[in-house]
Amino acid sequence: MKTIYKKPDVFLSENMHYCPGCTHGVAHRLVAEAIAELGAEERAIGVASVGCSVFAANYLDCDFTEAAHGRAPAVATGVKRVHPNALVFTYQGDGDLASIGVAEIIHAAARGENITVIFINNAIYGMTGGQMAPTTLVGQTTTTSPGGRNPAGAGYPIRMSEIIATLDGAAYVERAGLYDVPSIARAKKAVKKAFETQVHKKGFAMVELLSTCPTNWGKTPVDAMTWLKDYMIPQFPLGVFKEV
Amino acid sequence: MKTIYKKPDVFLSENMHYCPGCTHGVAHRLVAEAIAELGAEERAIGVASVGCSVFAANYLDCDFTEAAHGRAPAVATGVKRVHPNALVFTYQGDGDLASIGVAEIIHAAARGENITVIFINNAIYGMTGGQMAPTTLVGQTTTTSPGGRNPAGAGYPIRMSEIIATLDGAAYVERAGLYDVPSIARAKKAVKKAFETQVHKKGFAMVELLSTCPTNWGKTPVDAMTWLKDYMIPQFPLGVFKEV
Amino acid sequence: MSYVEILTDVCKGCGLCVSVCPAGIMVLSPDAINARGYAPVTITAMENCIGCASCARVCPDAVLSVYKEVLT
Amino acid sequence: MSYVEILTDVCKGCGLCVSVCPAGIMVLSPDAINARGYAPVTITAMENCIGCASCARVCPDAVLSVYKEVLT
Amino acid sequence: MTQRIICSGFGGQGVMLMGQLLAYAGMMEGKFVSWLPSYGPEMRGGTANCSVIISDEPVGAPTVTEADVAFVMNKPSMEKFEDTVVSGGHLFVNSSLIDETASRQDIDIHQLAATEIGIQAGTARTANIVMLGAYLEKCGAVSEASVMAGLKKAFGEKKAGLLPMNQTAIDLGRQNVK
Amino acid sequence: MTQRIICSGFGGQGVMLMGQLLAYAGMMEGKFVSWLPSYGPEMRGGTANCSVIISDEPVGAPTVTEADVAFVMNKPSMEKFEDTVVSGGHLFVNSSLIDETASRQDIDIHQLAATEIGIQAGTARTANIVMLGAYLEKCGAVSEASVMAGLKKAFGEKKAGLLPMNQTAIDLGRQNVK
Amino acid sequence: MTRELIKGNEAIAEAAVRAGCRYFFGYPITPQNEIPEYMSKRLPEVGGTYLQAESELAAINMVYGAAGAGARVMTSSSSPGISLKQEGISYIASAKLPCVIVNIVRSGPGLGGILPAQSDYFQATKGGGHGDYRVVVFAPSSVQEAADLVMECFEVADQYRVPVMLMGDGMIGQMMEPVEFKEPKKRGLHEKSWATTGRQGGERNVISSLHIVAEECYDFCLEREAVYREIAEKETRCETELMDDAEIAVVAYGTVARIAKNAVLKARAAGIKTGLIRPITLWPFPSDIINDYAKQVNSFLTVEMSTGQMVEDVRLAVNGQKPVHFFGRTGGIIPTPEEVFNELMKMAEGEKHENNL
Amino acid sequence: MTRELIKGNEAIAEAAVRAGCRYFFGYPITPQNEIPEYMSKRLPEVGGTYLQAESELAAINMVYGAAGAGARVMTSSSSPGISLKQEGISYIASAKLPCVIVNIVRSGPGLGGILPAQSDYFQATKGGGHGDYRVVVFAPSSVQEAADLVMECFEVADQYRVPVMLMGDGMIGQMMEPVEFKEPKKRGLHEKSWATTGRQGGERNVISSLHIVAEECYDFCLEREAVYREIAEKETRCETELMDDAEIAVVAYGTVARIAKNAVLKARAAGIKTGLIRPITLWPFPSDIINDYAKQVNSFLTVEMSTGQMVEDVRLAVNGQKPVHFFGRTGGIIPTPEEVFNELMKMAEGEKHENNL
Ligand SMILES: Cc1ncc(C[n+]2csc(CCOP(=O)(O)OP(=O)(O)O)c2C)c(N)n1
Ligand SMILES: Cc1ncc(C[n+]2csc(CCOP(=O)(O)OP(=O)(O)O)c2C)c(N)n1
Ligand code: SF4
Ligand code: SF4
Ligand code: SF4
Ligand code: SF4
Ligand code: SF4
Ligand code: SF4
Ligand SMILES: [Mg+2]
Ligand SMILES: [Mg+2]
């Protein structure tokens, strides 16, 4: 029997609290695969953020620090400076990274902090019940944009990868999507590359993963993937924005 | 007698605390001239920030609110939402806007907040005595980068205009310099345009003014202007980054 | 021949695997309910599985492992 | 003829105006000290002033106003 | 008179609505009422419950630590709340999902196959209303009319069409508990 | 013995250094000392001052609200500090910048044209050291050697060449105050 | 009289709108999300502005700007978010701006949990921010009272130019009770002539928290201190029940007071003379009332959902006259009436009473 | 013995380095800038890391990360910056991480001024952040003591896994006094086996402040409460002078204690039996000592550079036994020994004494 696919041991997926079909799980798996493939289980230190992924430490079997909302890049900086040879990564949602924590991510990137950031952009605040995120699309209905996001007043979605790519300290920035099997395969490559960037001490690496939130989007998991592809990608084009 | 140049009444320049030759004074004057030329003295509301310009309210004879360090764009948002027809502007240093306040400026721009931001980039924390700013050049000596800013550890300078220009809510973004008479004339145009952008309700406008800090750079005012031109502009190229 | 292992009690019945299976052999149990209250996925005709692992790669909960018999 | 008005007590003697005056007629007082302890600028030969207002436009402290006699 | 009620079950079983209907009905009848949801971490995918108090006096503690009436719609809820019912109180058990029988001897235990009965009424999703019917029959502190008024308000005009089915659910609940 | 000293003047006049030299000298002589700068908003372009205490006992309050010795290097300082000198205390006045004479009758007033004397020594910037010379002559709680040791430390090896000029400044201060 | 069955969070939001609040700046956090959600729908209906800020920091500074511009403005959050607002609150107090801050407290410290707690009492009442200032803190114990008090909050804020906090635990936010929205009791306050509106032909206004000259900063603090004393005199609120002949006084606020009341009734039924003192303002604290009762009762029992915070203020008020005991649950655990009753029994029986946590 | 004449801020920084601190994350603010400036030069010399964070928020969260990773780590700031750190401090307390936070207090609230003040006492001692937690607070009154105590701060932090604050006013930071850097008194503590270092073949570690299950959060709070009680028992520090026969006790901390001491000496010279109680730890507060002296003295005078904050703790400690008076200056005004002496004279003469601000 040849194994075609088996989850890596470092992924503890049995008791995940995520809603059915939520691609947070897929993203976790890609992180776990990258760590396993780099053989870095023993030196990986994750920094979880506040959002639906707040329990990430329960699902990835490596050292973890749970950061305050938005501050994961600062926490990771503290960790990485103390253990420069550890594989330090943050896992953050779009509310966490692009709203309350935008200063921390920009400065970690500007410093060229040698860490890896996994950025889950699902265009919504999942954990708190579907409020508008900075990445919410124009017209998208959320619990705090009941009539759909109206740019007059609520502004426009922020493209974080494009911003981070302007910074000299950023070594690798890519945006990928989790909406079908091929896109997940490409996302996996991006995640691995972002970890390799750190291993090679090239500086700050971030992968933005467009992700679904079936629950708060009010869609089935399958429809959510279609919506992601049809509506999110035009606003958040996929691709490599920086590579040194 | 024809008046070739006379400062506008709205500029109260008699008791400014700025060091000799500091171009904060020039920037103040340009703001005053723009307000006067738009005849907006009666509806202008300035939002001062924390930095050497903390006393700006003493020098510009219009309504003023003094914001906490870094939060001027949030304060201005509050003011502008209450008085949409007022001419609301912030005046912020590079420590204020690009370090502690980077989240607030990015989100004000993303929201397309209809305000004008005057951003004084002097590559240093002036008020607190010359510590490293996010805009400090690589190799530049400051009181907290005593051996010169070393990117390994302290990272790279941030180009704010380039970042803000990526945002859909930003209507006008220009970087100008205050280093000789022609550059000041161009800066004046930029400042005026940034106010006009607001008057025409086009959205968020920011002018980044490269400015000198003779005191903390340890240079004469005249030498400081030369240094600005020779060293800052290569890192912070002048130009219009966004105009809608 | 290929074989898909299912951790039935971990499955949340989201249907993502069903939607991507090129062989069309996956289906959410119409009657069974697992320990967590979900209708888990089952495979109707394992012999038609081509071992592409699409299902496993899309599953958010790592419910699925895919093996292929290798002729040595 | 042009005329430059100087608010001597406001001047901080920074020398910026001196450095930009195309007529080279500005100089920081070698002896006088103003109320704030600075050596203020003075104009050596007002008659040579071309009224370009460069000095006023570079002065951070709005010390200078520039006027020109207009022949009507 | 004060009736302290707990409604409990899986997230999707409509236990929050049950409680709100009871509280609303109480309010309509001029009583003092409170409705307090559990909103803890167990909610996502786990069990949910709410505490309702209907009283002639101003409501003191809105928490229900000793219940006069408890609805348990699934097994974990049964385990959690059976013991909170006071002696002489009522326990309404959704036997569709709970195979064990309650062990208490000092309380009135009402077993209803609420899911199946709900299907009879039109959809399994009316299982909660079936339970309310049983409650109205056995120990209702509020009237059926008030509960129906609450349902009418909850559905609004758009879903008013659902009212007859819910009326049936109540009726079936009443009948099945006798 | 406790001597409470205030050094005051414009920002650039070296009043902070004066105070540090005194404190350092005191420390070298085994005394208890403290040096406390004003660091308020008035500092930029305004006046600066520092409080020094040299004592045989541990220093209590590091603030000097009643001074045994005050150096005033400019007019605003004179206005501010003349009255803080205790009866019998010493006031050293830089008459180069202060044309008024002090009005107090109960204290020793020492007027020195410190700027001009400093120029004699080599540069106007030694005016502060001139004042210290006068102090050493009149009411020094520390020795000249200790002050010179402090200067040596302050200058370091790079600027050691400045020491003779400062020695001259001290000498001239002593002479001019007699 | 129309009564609505409504969640505490929604009642707070609706009452604020009725009190004239037209600006809301907030950031989501459980268990207060219904406030911003309600505001996002409701404020546009009345021509107001709902704005979801990028963070609690931004939110409180938007409040600063809007308050300085003369608006009735509110923000809401829960514990960690309130910590982030502390600098801003200190600035608001320092710039003498009126605003209303709602804290629907959850368990802490840190990320903690989302269940009800009262462990932000110290932060709220002793000034979580830096410097000499006070925040007026109202603590409702029912949804109706939450609605009533939020209206008062705006009046108090405007009258004294201070930040006012409405502090409820997660229960207050999440529970539904019937509410009647009353007409707000307007105090007939003056125009905000100090607000930044643009000079508009008149004198200019400057809103600032900078007090760089020591003498001016001192005078500012003295002026504010006088205002705080006036507030303490005029705005302190407290409710007592069954205290007339009480020998044991239970002190509790918010929802815990209701739990305590059940226990008090139970104890009365058991023949123990107890009563309830319920502070409604936590700052100013009803010290005088408690001090007075200290002459009457034999002992006090303070009940809190914390490890013991208000109990310090009770002790300060009692000033050694009588023993003050403490019973607390925290971390999201809600004390039960039975537990409190047991404490009362122990006290009545003169058992040596340890502080019980 | 080598003594150096050195600024308080620099002494704090140097002593921290000698105590083994190798990581510093900070952000400039007056009057503590010499700490980061010194660290930026000094830490690289010993293989440590100085990092200027983008804000105080980022700084305290870097501290969180580094502390969780097992490092001896410090941050410093002044009042407004400390307010911004409150969420982070609460998280650090909640995740049981040791670290040292220096607050060189300036006048507030708001932007306030940069002159010395003690008006952050409440914030420091009552928990400026949310939730049930405590921060150990040391208050040096001389540069030498600042250097000595900062070394202790690290040991206390590590021993109990708590954040520890060194709180000085602007004077402590800015003044120069002779300092002898002593060998740090190491407590022989265990390895930080709980730190995130990567699994490294062993068990994994998780640093977290999430206590989502009420029972677990409650247990966590109880465990910490026990630790706080242990700290109160073992780490409370206080110095008394001339208290043996004192009839009036002056209570003051930090530099104000030195000013008060001058006044006490002056009063003694005038025949008034006064003495000084100087709390060195502000939390835990030396309540027992003060309570004991309450039996001896006739009255207390609390002197602070605030509108009256520590005075509450003094009153709590005295518990009504004797009158507690207050004398304060604030906003950057430093009380003079003469003013304090005058208060003592008034008290000695039995004049009706109003709280004086
Ligand atoms: C300081 C603070 N503010 C707010 C919150 C509440 N909160 C928890 S998660 C979250 C946002 C979650 O959204 P996102 O980061 O996009 O993650 P997702 O759940 O969508 O994966 C918020 C606002 C908090 N815990 N702390
Ligand atoms: C919260 C907070 N942190 C830090 C400070 C101290 N501070 C005052 S101004 C300033 C930076 C000034 O630099 P910049 O914004 O570049 O203005 P400049 O003085 O150079 O014009 C800092 C850090 C403060 N007042 N508040
Ligand atoms: S709420 Fe959305 S993001 Fe969170 S677990 Fe559910 S589907 Fe995923
Ligand atoms: S310190 Fe620098 S920026 Fe500030 S006033 Fe002086 S020269 Fe200007
Ligand atoms: S391996 Fe491929 S063919 Fe087989 S079940 Fe999975 S998706 Fe279908
Ligand atoms: S994708 Fe996974 S969780 Fe979803 S139905 Fe298939 S096996 Fe179950
Ligand atoms: S106006 Fe022109 S020529 Fe005249 S003084 Fe000024 S710079 Fe010189
Ligand atoms: S530029 Fe202005 S301040 Fe400077 S020397 Fe000339 S007049 Fe004086
Ligand atoms: Mg999200
Ligand atoms: Mg700057």
Side-chain angles (χ1 to χ4, degrees), chain A residues 10 12 41-45 50 54-69 71 73-79 81-84 86 100 103-105 107-108 111 113, chain H residues 23 25 49-55 57-59 61-71 87-88 91 95 97 195-210 212:
Chain A
V10 72
L12 311 169
E41 293 92 338
E42 301 295 335
R43 60 192 179 83
I45 307 178
V50 183
V54 71
F55 299 111
N58 297 349
Y59 314 140
L60 291 165
D61 188 20
C62 58
D63 271 14
F64 250 95
T65 296
E66 168 64 41
H69 191 32
R71 317 303 169 199
V75 172
T77 296
V79 174
R81 296 292 177 119
V82 176
H83 300 300
I100 192 170
E104 285 74 14
I105 198 70
H107 281 271
R111 280 193 305 270
E113 213 60 62
Chain H
Y23 294 86
F25 303 95
T49 295
Y50 163 83
L51 199 158
Q52 186 171 308
E54 57 271 30
S55 68
L57 249 81
N61 284 287
M62 289 170 184
V63 166
Y64 179 98
E87 189 205 29
Y91 270 70
L97 296 179
T196 55
T197 57
R199 283 184 342 204
Q200 302 196 347
E203 288 286 288
R204 77 189 184 117
N205 287 323
V206 175
I207 300 291
S208 173
S209 79
L210 180 65
I212 194 81

Side-chain angles (χ1 to χ4, degrees), chain B residues 114-140:
Chain B
N114 194 31
I115 59 171
T116 301
V117 171
I118 309 297
F119 168 34
I120 307 298
N121 178 355
N122 58 10
I124 202 112
Y125 286 55
M127 159 136 281
T128 41
Q131 294 83 9
M132 192 185 82
T135 44
T136 291
L137 304 187
V138 168
Q140 189 183 337

Side-chain angles (χ1 to χ4, degrees), chain E residues 35 37 39 59-61 65-66, chain G residues 114 116 170 174-176 258 262 338:
Chain E
W35 172 88
Y39 63 94
V59 177
T65 41
E66 299 178 336
Chain G
I114 59 177
Q174 292 300 319
M175 75 180 168
M176 282 181 144
R258 293 168 62 166
N262 283 25
E338 295 72 32

Side-chain angles (χ1 to χ4, degrees), chain B:
Chain B
M1 286 289 260
K2 196 182 132 205
T3 302
I4 308 289
Y5 185 83
K6 199 174 174 341
K7 76 157 186 67
D9 291 343
V10 74
F11 187 27
L12 312 167
S13 57
E14 285 76 20
N15 281 306
M16 294 206 300
H17 72 293
Y18 295 111
C19 305
C22 170
T23 46
H24 261 303
V26 177
H28 278 24
R29 188 159 47 77
L30 300 188
V31 170
E33 287 171 14
I35 291 173
E37 287 170 22
L38 293 168
E41 292 92 338
E42 301 295 334
R43 60 192 179 84
I45 307 179
V47 178
S49 64
V50 184
C52 279
S53 55
V54 71
F55 299 111
N58 296 349
Y59 314 140
L60 291 165
D61 189 18
C62 58
D63 270 15
F64 250 95
T65 295
E66 168 63 44
H69 191 34
R71 317 302 169 200
V75 171
T77 296
V79 174
K80 183 73 182 183
R81 296 294 177 118
V82 176
H83 300 300
N85 293 320
L87 193 73
V88 177
F89 66 97
T90 72
Y91 185 104
Q92 307 177 252
D94 46 343
D96 194 82
L97 182 142
S99 193
I100 193 169
V102 76
E104 285 74 14
I105 198 71
I106 284 181
H107 281 272
R111 281 193 305 270
E113 213 60 63
N114 194 31
I115 59 171
T116 301
V117 171
I118 309 297
F119 168 34
I120 307 298
N121 178 355
N122 58 10
I124 202 112
Y125 286 55
M127 159 136 281
T128 41
Q131 294 83 9
M132 192 185 82
T135 44
T136 291
L137 304 187
V138 168
Q140 189 183 337
T141 300
T142 71
T143 55
T144 53
S145 58
R149 181 180 192 160
N150 182 353
Y156 299 87
I158 296 183
R159 286 177 293 264
M160 284 308 302
S161 288
E162 283 82 339
I163 290 181
I164 298 299
T166 71
L167 296 164
D168 291 343
Y172 180 70
V173 181
E174 178 166 358
R175 183 184 289 121
L178 304 173
Y179 55 88
D180 61 13
V181 177
S183 70
I184 291 172
R186 286 192 301 273
K188 175 172 173 174
K189 282 208 190 91
V191 168
K192 186 149 179 209
K193 187 118 187 200
F195 277 105
E196 284 167 345
T197 303
Q198 182 180 171
V199 170
H200 300 133
K201 299 199 189 302
K202 288 189 184 168
F204 182 88
M206 177 172 102
V207 180
E208 175 174 347
L209 297 173
L210 302 183
S211 190
T212 66
C213 175
T215 300
N216 287 302
W217 293 359
K219 297 195 161 41
T220 66
V222 175
D223 288 352
M225 285 198 167
T226 310
W227 190 84
L228 188 166
K229 193 165 130 207
D230 293 347
Y231 293 92
M232 282 184 79
I233 293 179
Q235 172 67 37
F236 302 110
L238 307 187
V240 176
F241 292 88
K242 185 86 177 271
E243 183 166 5
V244 295

